[in-house]
Amino acid sequence: MFLVEWLSGLPWLVVLVTFIVLCLVIVSLAGAATRSFDPKDRSNDNVARAALALVSSALIFTGAFTIITSWTVADQMRAAAQSEAITGQGILRTIEVVAPTDSSVALAMAEYAESVIQNETGLDGNLEPSLKTEDAFVSLALKTVRVVETSGMGTLRAQAVMESLNNLKLAREHRVGELSSKLFLPLIGLLFVMAVINLVGLGLFPSGTSRGLKRIYCSAVAVAIACILTSVVVLQSVPFIRSELTAPFAGLLSNATDR
């Protein structure tokens, strides 16, 4: 899936043009094989129409499912980031009340938020978990536990802080789990295979009596397939996900540094 990863870093218009060119090339190559066919021979039309209907339906279903799933997972990733940031802000507010002179948790939270932005939101072009950010989270957790143990806060409030810290950990695990998920690779691969099969089928059959009309029809379908593939790549691209994934942690960083 190197092609998908490479295309995901390009502007969507460039991706669309690239796919249109690739789709038209595939159709043209398949169509070139029919030049020796008798244009009046329509004996294979019944098989061709049945086959094209099947592969076209399969392509549309696979494309729609991939697009919806990509959008849903991107939303889940953003929701996990928002939940993580909100939980972190709650911890900061609680610590500020029970230990107003302590700045260690706020500093640790700022370091963690900054590490997430730099290493786990695609700022470097990659969406993947970071060991540096994991270390920053461990440091934050240890400092929060230390403040809870030394501040003399009541049992109920201490329990609330520890529950918030656990919720922060769960939110992080959810977000990081989405970053490391490889679920889409087989699905996107299947979509590309279905697209190629469909384009080859269009190029080969039916031969028809008007090659000009066939070229127009095949070109229109190739553009439609290119749009489906472009939608999937854009939804999976770092620029599409990064801005809304970064925003919650930018707010958390600002909140932590202001204390």
Side-chain angles (χ1 to χ4, degrees):
M1 300 312 295
F2 172 77
L3 177 62
V4 176
E5 294 179 359
W6 177 69
L7 288 173
S8 66
L10 300 176
W12 71 266
L13 187 58
V14 176
V15 176
L16 176 60
V17 172
T18 301
F19 275 129
I20 289 176
V21 172
L22 290 175
C23 290
L24 290 176
V25 167
I26 293 173
V27 171
S28 299
L29 291 176
T34 67
R35 290 177 181 174
S36 59
F37 293 0
D38 183 359
K40 296 180 180 180
D41 181 10
R42 308 300 298 270
S43 58
N44 290 319
D45 279 10
N46 56 340
V47 177
R49 287 179 180 140
L52 285 174
L54 176 62
V55 296
S56 297
S57 299
L59 174 67
I60 293 171
F61 173 80
T62 306
F65 180 76
T66 306
I67 289 172
I68 293 172
T69 305
S70 299
W71 188 281
T72 300
V73 170
D75 279 346
Q76 290 175 344
M77 196 181 301
R78 296 185 190 103
Q82 290 176 338
S83 175
E84 192 175 350
I86 291 172
T87 304
Q89 290 173 354
I91 293 174
L92 287 176
R93 286 193 294 269
T94 302
I95 296 298
E96 186 178 30
V97 170
V98 299
T101 60
D102 183 90
S103 61
S104 61
V105 174
L107 289 174
M109 188 70 75
E111 291 175 0
Y112 173 66
E114 185 173 6
S115 183
V116 172
I117 293 172
Q118 294 294 327
N119 303 311
E120 293 185 341
T121 62
L123 198 63
D124 59 351
N126 296 310
L127 280 172
E128 58 186 10
S130 166
L131 291 177
K132 290 182 178 179
T133 307
E134 180 65 28
D135 292 341
F137 178 81
V138 171
S139 176
L140 167 65
L142 292 175
K143 290 178 180 179
T144 303
V145 171
R146 182 186 62 78
V147 171
V148 169
E149 292 176 345
T150 59
S151 64
M153 67 179 69
T155 302
L156 293 178
R157 180 161 285 176
Q159 185 177 3
V161 173
M162 296 307 296
E163 288 179 357
S164 295
L165 184 61
N166 185 60
N167 290 336
L168 183 65
K169 178 183 178 182
L170 294 176
R172 169 172 172 75
E173 289 176 350
H174 183 197
R175 178 178 56 80
V176 170
E178 297 292 351
L179 292 178
S180 58
S181 175
K182 302 300 181 183
L183 173 66
F184 289 110
L185 295 182
L187 189 59
I188 294 175
L190 174 62
L191 179 61
F192 273 76
V193 170
M194 295 303 304
V196 172
I197 292 174
N198 198 72
L199 291 167
V200 171
L202 286 170
L204 290 175
F205 302 105
S207 58
T209 57
S210 174
R211 293 193 179 276
L213 186 61
K214 177 182 177 179
R215 290 192 188 97
I216 293 174
Y217 171 73
C218 290
S219 297
V221 176
V223 171
I225 292 175
C227 290
I228 294 175
L229 298 177
T230 300
S231 298
V232 173
V233 172
V234 170
L235 288 173
Q236 288 290 306
S237 67
V238 173
F240 178 80
I241 298 174
R242 181 175 58 212
S243 59
E244 293 188 30
L245 192 62
T246 303
F249 293 102
L252 178 60
L253 175 60
S254 176
N255 196 315
T257 54
D258 289 342
R259 295 177 184 276

